[in-house]
Amino acid sequence: MSRYKEIFIRNYFISRGWKLEREGNLFGYFSPPKNIGLPNDYLLELPKMSKNQKGFDNYIERLIQDLIFALPTESNEEDLKILFSKENSILKYRIFDADSSDGTISFQKHIDSLENFKKVLSQAVIFTATNKPIFGDAKYEVEGYLNRCRALQTEKGSYVTRLEIPNDTIYTAFSKIETEDINDKLFDTLEYLEENIFNAKIKMDITENYLQDISPILNYELFNSIKNIYTKSHINNLEYQLSSHNRIRKIETERVQKSIPYFTKYLRDVKKLLLEVVPLEAIGYIKRLSSSSPLHSTKNEVTIDADVSGNTETIKIILRSDEYIEAIEAHKNEWPIRIKGKAQQNKTMLTIKELEEFDIIKK
């Protein structure tokens, strides 16, 4: 079986602006887009698959080498071999700050950027799987997606990190999602933030109507994780690129640090409003019990630690006396508890102001 797929190769060139000029028995002849600097009369010969599969693969290998030589800024050998042979995508992020212009990066900055980009990908999965603007839960979908991502060799050009991401379906016991939808959701969100936060002409008025208008790309945790890749990794300029055999998307964000104060305030206002309209549902373990009179007090405080949208959150709830007695038993036996209710953001934790559900999950 041939390593390379004729349809993938043709789709690659057509999606990047090449035009089919004529068909022959053995080849299709494609003219290049005008912006890549090739002669006006240049025609690229793409072979058609034949019974001679080895000959076809050898021709494509030579074609890849020719493309790298002719278009060094457009092509990468490893990328082309993947895109010409698999139904996969290549996801890159390129840091082009002054201190990484030679293609190197400080070790700590590299580790921080990887960890924060992993969180960006995880939140994109959660948003796609749940379609919730905040407090989504998709642990198994995140694991399935990240397990399908493969790290590729780094690429010089400031500092480039590259991942291979299959375009397939993730199945879990609860749902299925398409990885292509995850990639689209991520890049739609990046485009929105680049235009409306990093290059904002006006400041948005955060209202319920505004949240409704941007609901297709609104996810607080995804927005916040994108902010963190700049703030926690100390990055100012970052380019994202998504390539497959049938499309390419590229977003360049520059001088982002100047926009971080506005972005921080924007996120704070968005979260405050979302907390008023979206109930928090979480499962966690009791961290602390606090009551001076469990049988009679109306202020039986319980603090729990819970995983909320991939992050550990501390949550305070107020329980009735009978519920508090149950909470003591759950704490003693290390049973998880499930809660649901309207939350309020405090400095160090979330507080449930309107508790709608409280259940003990006995192991």
Side-chain angles (χ1 to χ4, degrees):
M1 181 180 294
S2 175
R3 172 181 181 180
Y4 299 107
K5 305 291 187 288
E6 179 184 345
I7 186 63
F8 291 171
I9 298 167
R10 287 195 166 214
N11 286 345
Y12 175 89
F13 286 100
I14 291 171
S15 68
R16 286 148 175 82
W18 294 70
K19 293 182 179 180
L20 177 62
E21 296 295 340
R22 68 176 188 271
E23 292 269 19
N25 292 329
L26 300 178
F27 295 92
Y29 298 87
F30 291 77
S31 60
K34 294 181 179 179
N35 62 350
I36 63 174
L38 292 175
N40 292 333
D41 59 351
Y42 180 87
L43 287 179
L44 176 68
E45 297 179 339
L46 290 185
K48 296 183 177 181
M49 178 60 72
S50 67
K51 293 181 180 179
N52 184 4
Q53 296 175 350
K54 184 176 180 181
F56 179 82
D57 284 356
N58 288 339
Y59 192 102
I60 299 304
E61 294 280 357
R62 291 194 300 271
L63 173 64
I64 289 172
Q65 296 303 318
D66 290 343
L67 287 172
I68 295 169
F69 177 78
L71 304 170
T73 61
E74 299 285 331
S75 307
N76 171 285
E77 181 176 1
E78 189 176 14
D79 287 0
L80 292 177
K81 287 183 176 181
I82 291 171
L83 299 179
F84 286 1
S85 62
K86 300 179 183 179
E87 184 75 40
N88 287 2
S89 295
I90 307 295
L91 179 59
K92 303 180 184 182
Y93 68 91
R94 179 174 72 94
I95 301 170
F96 56 103
D97 289 350
D99 63 349
S100 59
S101 60
D102 64 350
T104 68
I105 190 171
S106 74
F107 181 65
Q108 190 59 53
K109 191 170 186 176
H110 174 51
I111 296 299
D112 290 342
S113 73
L114 285 174
E115 184 60 33
N116 284 301
F117 196 70
K118 177 184 175 182
K119 291 180 179 179
V120 169
L121 294 179
S122 299
Q123 295 301 340
V125 175
I126 294 171
F127 186 24
T128 305
T130 67
N131 206 33
K132 289 184 176 181
I134 195 170
F135 302 144
D137 181 21
K139 177 182 178 181
Y140 298 105
E141 289 85 350
V142 169
E143 289 179 355
Y145 180 84
L146 293 180
N147 285 339
R148 285 164 167 78
C149 296
R150 297 189 63 83
L152 302 174
Q153 291 182 355
T154 56
E155 175 183 294
K156 193 167 183 178
S158 294
Y159 191 83
V160 183
T161 299
R162 302 161 59 241
L163 299 172
E164 179 184 349
I165 304 174
N167 286 334
D168 62 359
T169 303
I170 297 174
Y171 293 94
T172 74
F174 311 101
S175 66
K176 70 173 185 176
I177 53 175
E178 304 296 332
T179 56
E180 194 168 8
D181 293 340
I182 297 168
N183 300 336
D184 285 339
K185 187 73 75 174
L186 172 59
F187 273 73
D188 289 346
T189 302
L190 289 169
E191 285 181 351
Y192 179 83
L193 294 178
E194 194 275 332
E195 180 178 348
N196 295 281
I197 300 296
F198 302 144
N199 290 298
K201 301 296 189 296
I202 58 173
K203 309 301 183 187
M204 265 85 69
D205 186 17
I206 310 302
T207 64
E208 286 192 34
N209 285 338
Y210 168 75
L211 298 187
Q212 184 62 39
D213 289 342
I214 68 165
S215 59
I217 55 91
L218 173 61
N219 179 267
Y220 169 80
E221 286 93 1
L222 177 54
F223 280 19
N224 193 53
S225 64
I226 291 171
K227 179 181 77 77
N228 285 342
I229 199 172
Y230 297 97
T231 56
K232 292 187 177 182
S233 304
H234 308 290
I235 293 171
N236 199 33
N237 304 314
L238 191 57
E239 177 189 86
Y240 309 88
Q241 181 174 303
L242 176 68
S243 300
S244 67
H245 66 79
N246 58 9
R247 63 178 175 163
I248 183 168
R249 297 183 71 174
K250 185 182 294 186
I251 300 164
E252 190 171 293
T253 57
E254 296 186 77
R255 298 183 294 279
V256 166
Q257 292 300 325
K258 65 181 175 57
S259 304
I260 293 301
Y262 170 58
F263 199 0
T264 301
K265 181 181 182 304
Y266 169 87
L267 287 172
R268 185 168 60 247
D269 293 344
V270 166
K271 185 175 186 180
K272 181 179 179 181
L273 187 53
L274 284 175
L275 290 177
E276 295 176 5
V277 298
V278 180
L280 166 62
E281 298 180 64
I283 295 175
Y285 288 86
I286 293 173
K287 178 180 179 181
R288 185 171 64 251
L289 295 157
S290 178
S291 176
S292 58
S293 180
L295 295 177
H296 305 289
S297 176
T298 59
K299 293 185 178 180
N300 296 309
E301 291 187 1
V302 175
T303 304
I304 70 170
D305 280 344
D307 182 81
V308 180
S309 196
N311 299 307
T312 300
E313 296 279 2
T314 300
I315 306 168
K316 183 173 75 174
I317 56 177
I318 306 295
L319 298 179
R320 301 190 310 265
S321 292
D322 59 322
E323 292 172 331
Y324 190 78
I325 299 303
E326 291 184 55
I328 293 173
E329 190 72 10
H331 185 48
K332 182 175 67 175
N333 292 282
E334 297 186 349
W335 292 333
I337 66 171
R338 179 189 292 109
I339 60 170
K340 179 181 178 181
K342 294 294 180 64
Q344 176 181 315
Q345 179 71 63
N346 298 323
K347 285 186 177 180
T348 59
M349 67 180 69
L350 293 166
T351 300
I352 301 295
K353 305 298 291 183
E354 301 175 26
L355 185 63
E356 300 172 12
E357 294 181 15
F358 171 79
D359 298 301
I360 307 296
I361 305 174
K362 296 183 179 180
K363 293 183 178 179

